[in-house]
Structures are given as C-alpha cells and as structure tokens.
Amino acid sequence: YGYDTIKTPKLNDVQIAQSMISENFTSSNPVAVLVPAGDYKREERLLRKYESMPQVKSATGLANIEALGGYCLTDRLTPRQFAELADLDYEAAQLIYTAYAAENDEYGRIVSGVSGYSVPLIDMFLFVADEVDKGYVTLDSEVADKLQDARKAMTNARLQLQGEEYSRLIVSLDLPESGDETYAFTDEMKDVARTYYPDGDIYLVGNSTNSYEFKKSFARDNIVVSVVSILIVLVVLLFTFKSVGMPILLILVIQGSIWINFSIPVFTRVDLFFVAYLIVSAIQMGANIDYAIVIASRFSEVKNRMESREAIIDTLNFALPTIITSATILAVSGFLIGHMTSEGTIVGIGQSIGRGTVISVALVMLVLPQILLVGSRIVDKTSFSVPVNLRRHLGSGVTVVDGLVRGEIRGTVSGIVRGTVDGDVNLVILSGSAQPQEGGAREPARGKEAAADEE
C-alpha cells in the first residue's frame, strides 16, 4: 500500500536521488499525532511515553523543545526565573506578570501576589514581545534583539505545532512506511494517546496511516467487488450456455487463474501495489473468460456429433490458433511494459498481466478440457431452454439471408447464413432477417405431380 518497498527494473532521476539519500543519510518515517490543545503537561507526558518506545526514534512537540537556559517552550516560569532568563530587573518582571494576569482576567493572582505566579515560557515571551511593539515595555537594544530572535523562533514553533483546537506531535518511527508491524504500531500509538486524552478526539496523520487506511478499505472493498464480479459473470454465462453447471465449471478456471497469478508474488516475496491487483484482476477475468467461452462453446457444439474425447481434440484444434494469437500479444505486451518502466504501479500491472495471461492459457488449454469432460453430464442435466419469439419466412426467388436461421433451402440448412438464395425458402429465423430481393422474385416452384399433369 506504499511505494517504499516496491522494486522497479529501471530507476528514474527521482528514484536515483532517493536511493543516494537513503545510502548516505538515515531515513525517517514521521507520523503527526493531533491531540486537544491547551494542556502542556499532558503533552509532555505523552511525548516522554512515545520516546520510551523502541519503535520511535524521536518525538517532538512544544512541550519538549528546548528554548533558553535549559527551559523548554512550555515550562512554567515564575517572575524571578523569567527575570534571570531574560536579564530583566525582578521588579520589571513582576510588573510584566501583573500585566499578563490582567490581560487574561486572572485578577486573583494580582491580589494574592504574582511572586508565585507561573506562566509558560512561550506565552510570556510572546506577550512581552507584543507589549514592546505597543510601547508599553522598554528594553535596551541587546535584550530587545534577543527577545525578537526568540519571538521569531517561538512563533514559528507555535504555527507548526499548535492550532486553535489541536496540538501536533511529530513522532519519527524506526519502521518502514507500510507493513503489518507499522500498521499495528499506529494502532498502539493511538491507544497510548487515548490514555492521556480519554475524552478528546485523536488523529494520526502520515504516509503510514494513509497506507493503513488503504489496506482497511481495500480488504473490504475487494471482497465486495470480487463477489459482485463473479455473480455478474455467472449470470452472463448462465444465459450464454443455458446451463447452470457450465458457468460454475468455467468460473473455477477463471478465478483459479487469478488466484494462482497473485499467489506467486507472495511466495517470491515481491511487493505489489494494491492498485495493480485491482486492475489486473479485471483484465485477467475479461481475457480468461473469453478464452474459456471459445473452448466451451465449441465443445458444446460438437459433443453431440462425436465421442467426448474426439470432441475435445476437435475443440482444441479449433480454438488453439485464436487463443495463442491473442494470448501471445497480451503476454508479450505485459512483460515488455513491466520491464521497461520505472513506475512501480505500472511495473506491477505489466508483470502481472504477462504472468496472468500465461497462467490463463495454461489452465484453459490443459485443465478446462479435463473439467469439461468430467463435468459434461452435469452441464447436460442442468441445461434449460429459453423461449424465443421466432419468425417464419416463406418465399421463392432470390432471398437475401443474413442471420442465424434454420430450415430448408432445397434441403435442410441450420447455421449462420450470409448470402443470397435463388430458390424455394422455408426458414425459421432465430436472429437476423430474411427478405425478398427487389426485382428478384419468380414464381414458386411446382411439385412433380403438377409438372406431370401439365405434360
């Protein structure tokens, strides 16, 4: 469900650059954890928990970013600690804290004294910077420059890691972007976060979580699509062959070739992008059912005129050129595409189509005949007829026949006829048409007795 483990026979410029980066630098797999904002203590405890887990390289948030003097951005400082950190007079720091309490409607702090009042470092620094801009606080140039530098860094940090409703924690995983171990650990990360925020919404965002969502939706959707596709194919085959048994026998070959095709990457440990699976499954089912219908239709047509073994031999001789020609074109095209591109998805599609076509032909030519021989009785016993609205055409002279007909043309005719008949016509038209040709009519032929009387 991701591109990080897919191998391609050719590398483009981007892949070459990524390969060089991976060889010379450590790779990371970042996942963003969104938690309700406002409680820095909870964030700090959650970050420490993540950092203690062996699958995590690092965890970063406002609560563990070191700012100045060994303090983190969210550490709460008293007026004296802030004065020492910012190189201010203690009295000036007290006045700043008093103004901050008034700004945030914490008048109780002012009444009880601000000496024990503590404020997160980032909030106090940004407040002082705003007060300097308004002209309420005056600092010497060196302290002002230091304050502005700190303000820029803290503002950027807040923009990156804190919003109005959520705080973002960046967790770098020592795991690949996709894989069962990675997916299991993302669930564990969410469970850990819920222990600290049981009542709040928690979200995980990253390439790994995207791949995990693809996996969960694909597993469900693939079952639905596969079942619906098989049912539709069964219905089509049911009315094509007018038998309940024939569709079941053919679907064994059709779906079996798809399963064999996609079991090979599992045993060879070759990763395949999930989109390639969906596309190739549809293509292989369409191609394979075409091959199977050619074999089954011919066998159904000739099995009543000869022995079953001879009927199968005749069927294979009849279908082999058609199937081999079509399959060779499809297989060669697939293998060439799979070995000439640097795009991982296209590689999987090409290789799977080429491999699947070879498997389909092998099953249709070698396995399907045996299935038809063994299951011929089942097909016959489950056959049914569908009433057809037939039209009859009677006439003499030149008649243009185009369609599937059955009847007599100075003899008995049954089959697909496309041509012009000059003579007596007595046909049952199953499909198509039969009509007199303009200017070609003549008198109906008379029987032998009428001719003798005339003589």
Side-chain angles (χ1 to χ4, degrees):
Y1 304 94
Y3 280 89
D4 57 323
T5 59
I6 295 180
K7 306 298 181 182
T8 59
K10 295 180 64 178
L11 299 178
N12 55 37
D13 294 339
V14 175
Q15 292 170 324
I16 293 173
Q18 291 176 342
S19 178
M20 294 176 64
I21 292 173
S22 300
E23 292 175 358
N24 293 277
F25 302 95
T26 57
S27 60
S28 62
N29 179 18
V31 174
V33 183
L34 302 184
V35 296
D39 193 334
Y40 295 133
K41 288 296 183 182
R42 287 188 184 184
E43 290 182 26
E44 182 181 2
R45 293 196 298 270
L46 179 56
L47 288 168
R48 288 179 180 175
K49 177 62 177 178
Y50 282 150
E51 289 177 332
S52 67
M53 304 176 80
Q55 297 91 340
V56 175
K57 289 183 178 180
S58 62
T60 304
L62 286 178
N64 67 349
I65 295 179
E66 187 174 341
L68 300 170
Y71 291 108
C72 292
L73 287 176
T74 60
D75 286 345
R76 305 181 71 89
L77 274 64
T78 62
R80 184 172 298 280
Q81 291 171 323
F82 183 76
E84 294 175 354
L85 179 63
D87 197 16
L88 296 173
D89 292 335
Y90 178 60
E91 290 76 10
Q94 286 182 314
L95 290 175
I96 293 173
Y97 270 66
T98 301
Y100 180 88
E103 180 78 14
N104 291 275
D105 298 329
E106 297 184 6
Y107 299 106
R109 294 289 186 178
I110 300 175
V111 174
S112 61
V114 297
S115 59
Y117 184 29
S118 62
V119 177
L121 184 150
I122 185 173
D123 295 340
M124 183 53 65
F125 257 92
L126 294 178
F127 173 76
V128 172
D130 291 339
E131 295 300 302
V132 170
D133 292 342
K134 296 175 184 178
Y136 297 147
V137 177
T138 303
L139 302 173
D140 59 49
S141 59
E142 183 179 352
V143 176
D145 292 341
K146 183 179 180 180
L147 178 65
Q148 291 301 323
D149 292 339
R151 178 187 188 181
K152 291 180 181 179
M154 293 180 184
T155 301
N156 290 334
R158 172 163 282 179
L159 291 174
Q160 291 289 329
L161 299 174
Q162 189 178 56
E164 294 182 0
E165 298 182 5
Y166 292 94
S167 292
R168 182 169 66 171
L169 314 179
I170 306 299
V171 182
S172 180
L173 305 183
D174 190 17
L175 294 170
E177 288 187 357
S178 58
D180 293 337
E181 184 181 2
T182 303
Y183 303 149
F185 186 69
T186 56
D187 287 336
E188 185 178 353
M189 288 177 62
K190 184 173 288 188
D191 292 338
V192 169
R194 283 200 181 98
T195 61
Y196 294 92
Y197 296 90
D199 300 327
D201 294 329
I202 298 168
Y203 303 95
L204 268 65
V205 183
N207 291 337
S208 294
T209 57
N210 290 343
S211 298
Y212 193 19
E213 292 300 323
F214 282 142
K215 177 183 179 180
K216 289 189 288 187
S217 61
F218 171 77
R220 180 182 61 254
D221 296 344
N222 183 53
I223 294 176
V224 175
V225 171
S226 298
V227 172
V228 172
S229 299
I230 292 175
L231 290 178
I232 292 175
V233 171
L234 286 174
V235 171
V236 173
L237 295 177
L238 180 68
F239 289 99
T240 299
F241 292 99
K242 299 180 179 63
S243 171
V244 177
M246 182 65 80
I248 297 176
L249 297 179
L250 295 185
I251 208 68
L252 293 175
V253 179
I254 296 169
Q255 196 62 37
S257 64
I258 296 175
W259 289 336
I260 294 174
N261 184 20
F262 289 107
S263 67
I264 292 177
V266 178
F267 293 111
T268 58
R269 298 185 180 276
V270 175
D271 290 325
L272 182 71
F273 197 56
F274 76 100
V275 173
Y277 178 88
L278 295 176
I279 295 175
V280 176
S281 295
I283 295 175
Q284 189 175 350
M285 177 171 286
N288 198 10
I289 194 173
D290 190 25
Y291 303 152
I293 288 176
V294 171
I295 297 287
S297 298
R298 180 66 178 182
F299 179 72
S300 299
E301 180 182 346
V302 301
K303 69 178 182 178
N304 295 325
R305 303 202 304 261
M306 57 187 71
E307 295 292 333
S308 296
R309 183 175 181 276
E310 294 178 356
I312 282 294
I313 294 175
D314 178 83
T315 298
L316 294 178
N317 291 333
F318 171 81
L320 182 61
T322 301
I323 293 177
I324 291 299
T325 301
S326 172
T328 301
I329 295 173
L330 189 60
V332 171
S333 300
F335 285 130
L336 287 178
I337 291 173
H339 287 82
M340 294 175 62
T341 181
S342 59
E343 173 59 38
T345 304
I346 300 178
V347 169
I349 292 174
Q351 293 178 349
S352 298
I353 287 178
R355 182 178 60 244
T357 302
V358 174
I359 295 173
S360 297
V361 172
L363 292 184
V364 166
M365 299 301 295
L366 301 177
V367 177
L368 180 59
Q370 314 304 322
I371 293 177
L372 292 177
L373 283 175
V374 175
S376 180
R377 293 182 180 179
I378 298 176
V379 174
D380 293 338
K381 291 182 179 180
T382 57
S383 298
F384 60 90
S385 60
V386 178
V388 181
N389 185 18
L390 302 178
R391 293 172 294 159
R392 182 176 293 278
H393 177 80
L394 298 175
S396 298
V398 180
T399 303
V400 179
V401 180
D402 184 6
L404 179 62
V405 299
R406 183 173 62 248
E408 296 181 358
I409 304 176
R410 289 187 179 180
T412 301
V413 176
S414 178
I416 298 176
V417 178
R418 289 184 177 88
T420 302
V421 177
D422 186 1
D424 297 334
V425 177
N426 181 7
L427 302 175
V428 176
I429 304 171
L430 304 181
S431 65
S433 64
Q435 57 187 4
Q437 186 180 39
E438 295 182 1
R442 64 179 178 84
E443 294 182 0
R446 290 169 295 178
K448 296 180 180 178
E449 295 180 358
D453 291 341
E454 185 177 2
E455 289 178 356

